[in-house]
C-alpha cells in the first residue's frame, strides 16, 4: 500500500505538504489539496482521516473492459469516478463481473446484501442478464454507454458519438476523401449501434456512398482488423474510421501488410485517444473521449440519483485529435494479393 | 433587503441558528446550514461573510419567461441555479433581455465587458440573434431547452419531452382514449418541435391516428386555448395534451364554455406542474419538470464548462402527476355551437 512518501515522490512535493493536503490544512492551495487527494486515491492510500466517519459504499461493476493499467481504456474512467466519489466521502469497490455471475445473482439482491448505495456499470452488453433488470431496479444506477428508458433510478453517461463521427468524416472530406469505411466494434452494443447510425447519418447528409459492406461490425480489439481490413481495402476505400484505437492499430498493420502506406494511400482514424494512439507509427488521428471526466460525471450523476434527482443522461463532447494517420486522398490502387 | 430575522421567521428557527448557518458554525446540521443558505439566497440577503473574497460573476439571461413570483414557471429554475451557484461562491445577476437588446449588443462583447465567467440562458427562441452567436462563442454558456451543436463551450439542460409525452399518452390509452390531440406552445421553439415529434412518435408507435389538425402550434399562454380548443373539440378528440399548464387551464375553460365536462367528456393534461396545476378545478394531471433541479443542474453544467469539462447535454426525467383532469374516455358528442 502507498505511503505519504510515495505520494510526495509522485507529485514532487514535500511529505509535509502531502500531510497538509490529507488533513485539510488551510495553508496550502485548494488546487494542491485536490492534487494530493486525487493522487492518494489513485495510489490506494487510506487513513482514518481520509475515511471520515459516515462513509457510504458504492460499487463499480466492470465487464468486457480492460482497466488495470493506465494504458487501458477503463483505467481513467474508474479513476475519475473514484476520485470524485472520495471527495464526497464514498468508498468505492471495483468488481469485475461475468455473465455467469449475473445469471446466478440478481442485481438488486447483490446490492442490498452488500449495502451499496448505488452502482456504476461499465462495459455491459445489450444481452447481459442485468441489463434486463435495470428497467425495474430501485437502486441508484449509472450506466456508461448504455441507456434505460423511463426508470427514474437509472442514469446514463457517455460521449456524443454522433458529433465525433461527423467531425471525423468532415475532416476526411476536407482532405478529399469520399470513399470512407467504418470498421465498427462488436454488435450487441448500444454504442456500436449509435456509431453505425452516426456514420450513416453523416455520409447521407454529405451525399457520400456507403453500403453494408462499408460498415462491418468487428470487435473491440486489434485482431478485428485481420478479419475485416482486407475486405474494406478491396472495396477501394481511401479512409477507414475505426470503432476504437486498438482496431485502428490493427488496421494500420493490415494496411502495411497489404502494401498500403498510411496515411499516403489510406487514412485511418481511431476512437477514444488511449495513450497508445500517440505512440503508433504514424501517430493516430482519433476521436477523443475525456475518460477522467466521464468517470467524474458518472459519479456526479449517481450522486444526483442517490439524492432523488432523476438525471437521465449526461453527455460529454468528443474532440477530434489530429495527428499523422490522415492525409489528402490519393487515387485508389488495386489490392495487392 | 431581507434581514437575519426575516430568514429566521421564514424557516421558523431562531436568529442565532440563522447566524450559525450563515457563518459556517459546526454545531448545526449540514441540512440546516443548507436550508439557511438557500433561504438567504432566495430572500436576497447578502453579507460580507456570504460574499467571501474571490467571488466570480455569472449572469442569467431571461427572455419570454415569467420568473418574478414563485407561481411562475421560471422562478424555481432561476432560484435553483442561484442557490447552487452561491454554494460555489459565485454571484449571479438576472438580466431580462429583449430582441432589440440582442440586436444592439453582441453576446461575447457584453459578457467580457461585464466580467461574467459564464451565463445561463432561459426562454430563448430559435430566431433570437444571440442563438446564432452561440455556435461560435468562446464563453461558457448553458442553454435551458435549446441545443447548440459542436461548440465545446456550450452545454444544454432540459427535461426529456419524449418520455413525458409518451407517459401521458400511455396513461390516456390505459383510460380508453384513442383520439388524442396536442395543443402545442409556440413554433420557433426547439422544445415545441421536440414535443410535436414526441407526440408523432408515440402516436405512431401505438397505432393511433393523428394529423396536422390534431397537433396545432399555439403559444405558451392560457389565451391560446381560445384560438385552438374549439377546433380540436370539433375533430372529436377525447383528450387534449397541452404544451404547458397555462394552456391546459385555458383549454379546461374553453371546454366548459363549449359544454364539455372535464374530465367526464374531455381529459386534459398539462406540462410543467407549476403551482397553479393543483389549484385548478378539477386539479390538473400534468407532466412535471423539477424546476429547482433544472436550475441546479444548469449551474453544475456551467461550472463544468468553466472548468474546461465539455458537457454537451444534461437531461432530467419528467414525472407524470396524476390528478383529476383525466378520466376514462366517453363516447364523443357533437360540438355545441
Amino acid at each position: 500500500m502507498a505511503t505519504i512518501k510515495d505520494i510526495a515522490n509522485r507529485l514532487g512535493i514535500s511529505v509535509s505538504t502531502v500531510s497538509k493536503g490529507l488533513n485539510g490544512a488551510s495553508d496550502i492551495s485548494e488546487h494542491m489539496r485536490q492534487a494530493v487527494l486525487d493522487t492518494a486515491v489513485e495510489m490506494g492510500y487510506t487513513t482514518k482521516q481520509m475515511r471520515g466517519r459516515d462513509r457510504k459504499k458504492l460499487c463499480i461493476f466492470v465487464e468486457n473492459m480492460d482497466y488495470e493499467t493506465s494504458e487501458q481504456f477503463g483505467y481513467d474512467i474508474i479513476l475519475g469516478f473514484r476520485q470524485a466519489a472520495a471527495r464526497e466521502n464514498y468508498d468505492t469497490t471495483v468488481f469485475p463481473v461475468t455473465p455467469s455471475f449475473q445469471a446466478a445473482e440478481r442485481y438488486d439482491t447483490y446490492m442490498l446484501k452488500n449495502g451499496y448505495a448505488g452502482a456504476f456499470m461499465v462495459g455491459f452488453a445489450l444481452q447481459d442478464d442485468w441489463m434486463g433488470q435495470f428497467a425495474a431496479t430501485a437502486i441508484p444506477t449509472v450506466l456508461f454507454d448504455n441507456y434505460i428508458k423511463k426508470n427514474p433510478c437509472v442514469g446514463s453517461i457517455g460521449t456524443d458519438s454522433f458529433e465525433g463521427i461527423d467531425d471525423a468524416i468532415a475532416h476526411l472530406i476536407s482532405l478529399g476523401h469520399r470513399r470512407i469505411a467504418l470498421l465498427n466494434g462488436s454488435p450487441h452494443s448500444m454504442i456500436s449501434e449509435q456509431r453505425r447510425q452516426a456514420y450513416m447519418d453523416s455520409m447521407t447528409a454529405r451525399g457520400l456512398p456507403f453500403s453494408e459492406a462499408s460498415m462491418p461490425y468487428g470487435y473491440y480489439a486489434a485482431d478485428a482488423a485481420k478479419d475485416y481490413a482486407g475486405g474494406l481495402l478491396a472495396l477501394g476505400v481511401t479512409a477507414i474510421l475505426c470503432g476504437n484505437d486498438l482496431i485502428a492499430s490493427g488496421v494500420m498493420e493490415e494496411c502495411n501488410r497489404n502494401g498500403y502506406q498510411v496515411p499516403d494511400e489510406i487514412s485511418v482514424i481511431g476512437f477514444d485517444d488511449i495513450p497508445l494512439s500517440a505512440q503508433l507509427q504514424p501517430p493516430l488521428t482519433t476521436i477523443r473521449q475525456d475518460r477522467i471526466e466521464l468517470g467524474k460525471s458518472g459519479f456526479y450523476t449517481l450522486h444526483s440519483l442517490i439524492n432523488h434527482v432523476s438525471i437521465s443522461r449526461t453527455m460529454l463532447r468528443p474532440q477530434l485529435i489530429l495527428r499523422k494517420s490522415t492525409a489528402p486522398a490519393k487515387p485508389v490502387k488495386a489490392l495487392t494479393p
Side-chain angles (χ1 to χ4, degrees), chain A residues 2-11 13-15 18 43 45:
Chain A
T3 65
I4 289 191
K5 186 139 182 46
D6 295 330
I7 299 170
N9 287 343
R10 168 83 78 95
L11 288 169
I13 58 178
S14 70
V15 167
V18 173
M43 298 181 77
Y45 178 86

Side-chain angles (χ1 to χ4, degrees), chain A residues 126 131 134 143-151 154-157 190 194 311-314:
Chain A
L126 295 174
M131 284 293 291
F134 295 149
L143 313 178
F144 173 70
D145 275 358
N146 275 299
Y147 189 74
I148 296 290
K149 279 189 183 169
K150 292 196 177 178
N151 184 339
V154 180
S156 173
I157 171 89
M190 186 190 82
Q194 274 185 1
I311 294 182
S312 61
R313 192 192 294 276
T314 307

